[in-house]
């Protein structure tokens, strides 16, 4: 395996409670050719102070600050702008990686020669107690991702040598889904690792926990990213997205019973 640099993209907003655990999971990686690019989205807590302590301890960790609260997509794009690695990976401030995540995923991508890869992942509660697993499929395409976002952003990694540097679309929510669509427009097929290599933290008060509030953002994604009319986007959401999403949730529920 060739040791190529991985740029890890992290947005941070009032993340003092969890950001240290996330950074520690990156520091524990067995694959050491990485840079962690954290962009703070105008936090009002002591997130930046915590992050700065880590930047002083390890030069691979870099902090950038936005001058106003702009959303996770803008924060991620600021980090992507500064990325110098061949591979671009994503880990939000309240999520974590297993120590061998990068080592296994970089080797997998080099073996497969793919432009985008992803893995299964575990879920945990706010206290960090593991409570479930989300199993990925062996491969995804633009057509399958269009129906429903099946790639966990915290597991995604794309290869700049194949797809170039791809930014998040400038929409307030679901921009990670939009990025997967844009990447798959270029590389056509993404490949998955069935082994869970990351941990997604489920938070009761997060926006994504209220699925009804995300309806307008899902429809908006089809309009903004795919250029569809509101009528077409709404029909597709009702008759394609919702059945696919419901099926996915049923499968996850049954597997974790």
């Amino acid at each position: 395996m060739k040791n190529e640099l991985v740029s890890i993209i992290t947005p941070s907003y009032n993340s003092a409670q969890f950001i240290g655990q996330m950074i520690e999971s990156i520091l524990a990686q067995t694959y050491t050719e990485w840079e962690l690019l954290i962009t703070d989205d105008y936090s009002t807590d002591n997130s930046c102070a915590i992050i700065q302590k880590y930047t002083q301890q390890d030069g691979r960790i870099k902090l950038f600050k936005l001058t106003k609260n702009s959303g996770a997509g803008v924060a991620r794009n600021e980090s992507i702008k500064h990325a110098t690695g061949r591979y671009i990976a994503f880990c939000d401030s309240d999520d974590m990686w297993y120590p061998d995540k990068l080592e296994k995923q970089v080797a997998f991508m080099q073996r497969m020669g793919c432009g985008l890869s992803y893995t299964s992942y575990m879920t945990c509660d706010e206290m960090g107690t593991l409570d479930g697993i989300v199993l990925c499929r062996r491969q995804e395409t633009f057509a399958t991702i269009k129906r429903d976002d099946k790639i966990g952003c915290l597991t995604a990694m794309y290869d700049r040598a194949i797809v170039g540097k791809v930014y998040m679309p400038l929409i307030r929510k679901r921009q990670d889904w939009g990025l997967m669509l844009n990447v798959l427009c270029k590389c056509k097929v993404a490949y998955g690792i069935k082994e869970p290599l990351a941990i997604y933290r489920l938070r009761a008060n997060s926006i994504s926990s209220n699925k009804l509030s995300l309806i307008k953002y899902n429809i908006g994604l089809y309009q903004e990213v795919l250029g569809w009319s509101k009528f077409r986007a709404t029909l597709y959401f009702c008759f394609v997205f919702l059945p696919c999403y419901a099926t996915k949730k049923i499968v996850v529920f049954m597997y974790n019973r």
Side-chain angles (χ1 to χ4, degrees), residues 44-229:
T44 56
D45 65 0
N46 65 330
S47 297
C48 287
I50 295 172
I51 298 166
Q52 285 171 335
K53 289 183 180 179
Y54 283 101
T55 64
Q56 294 167 3
Q57 297 171 12
D58 196 312
R60 296 173 297 177
I61 304 172
K62 301 176 178 65
L63 173 64
F64 308 97
K65 299 180 183 179
L66 299 181
T67 57
K68 64 177 181 178
N69 182 255
S70 303
V74 174
R76 286 176 177 137
N77 281 349
E78 181 66 18
S79 289
I80 293 173
K81 182 177 74 174
H82 294 281
T84 61
R86 171 172 175 173
Y87 298 104
I88 306 291
F90 301 88
C91 189
D92 282 357
S93 58
D94 51 359
D95 297 330
M96 294 171 285
W97 286 353
Y98 285 109
D100 55 356
K101 195 260 190 189
L102 284 182
E103 181 179 359
K104 289 183 175 179
Q105 196 165 6
V106 170
F108 176 80
M109 292 189 72
Q110 292 183 0
R111 184 171 69 252
M112 297 294 293
C114 59
L116 175 64
S117 73
Y118 52 92
T119 81
S120 299
Y121 58 93
M122 304 298 296
T123 60
C124 73
D125 61 20
E126 293 194 31
M127 300 303 294
T129 302
L130 297 179
D131 55 15
I133 184 172
V134 177
L135 290 173
C136 69
R137 303 197 312 172
R138 292 290 184 186
Q139 67 178 47
E140 300 290 349
T141 65
F142 180 85
T144 62
I145 290 297
K146 185 173 65 175
R147 293 196 293 265
D148 175 31
D149 182 16
K150 300 178 182 68
I151 297 177
C153 188
L154 75 162
T155 75
M157 185 189 299
Y158 72 78
D159 185 347
R160 287 176 58 194
I162 296 176
V163 302
K165 184 178 278 192
V166 183
Y167 290 86
M168 295 273 172
L170 293 178
I171 52 180
R172 189 69 182 183
K173 302 296 175 186
R174 310 315 307 265
Q175 65 279 146
D176 51 344
W177 184 12
L179 180 134
M180 303 307 164
L181 286 167
N182 288 335
V183 171
L184 279 167
C185 280
K186 299 185 176 187
C187 66
K188 308 305 179 187
V189 181
Y191 295 94
I193 299 173
K194 298 293 286 187
E195 180 183 359
L197 295 177
I199 303 172
Y200 177 77
R201 193 184 303 270
L202 297 167
R203 299 175 64 182
N205 62 347
S206 69
I207 294 176
S208 60
S209 67
N210 185 350
K211 300 307 180 184
L212 289 177
S213 71
L214 290 176
I215 291 176
K216 66 177 181 179
Y217 296 115
N218 287 9
I219 294 173
L221 176 135
Y222 291 132
Q223 294 177 265
E224 296 296 327
V225 177
L226 301 183
W228 292 358
S229 68

Side-chain angles (χ1 to χ4, degrees), residues 18-50:
F18 302 115
I19 189 72
Q21 296 176 52
M22 186 282 296
I23 296 175
E24 290 290 345
S25 79
I26 304 301
L27 289 170
Q29 291 297 302
T30 55
Y31 186 92
T32 58
E33 294 297 317
W34 54 260
E35 58 179 1
L36 175 58
L37 309 175
I38 304 172
T39 295
D40 183 78
D41 192 19
Y42 206 64
S43 292
T44 56
D45 65 0
N46 65 330
S47 297
C48 287
I50 295 172

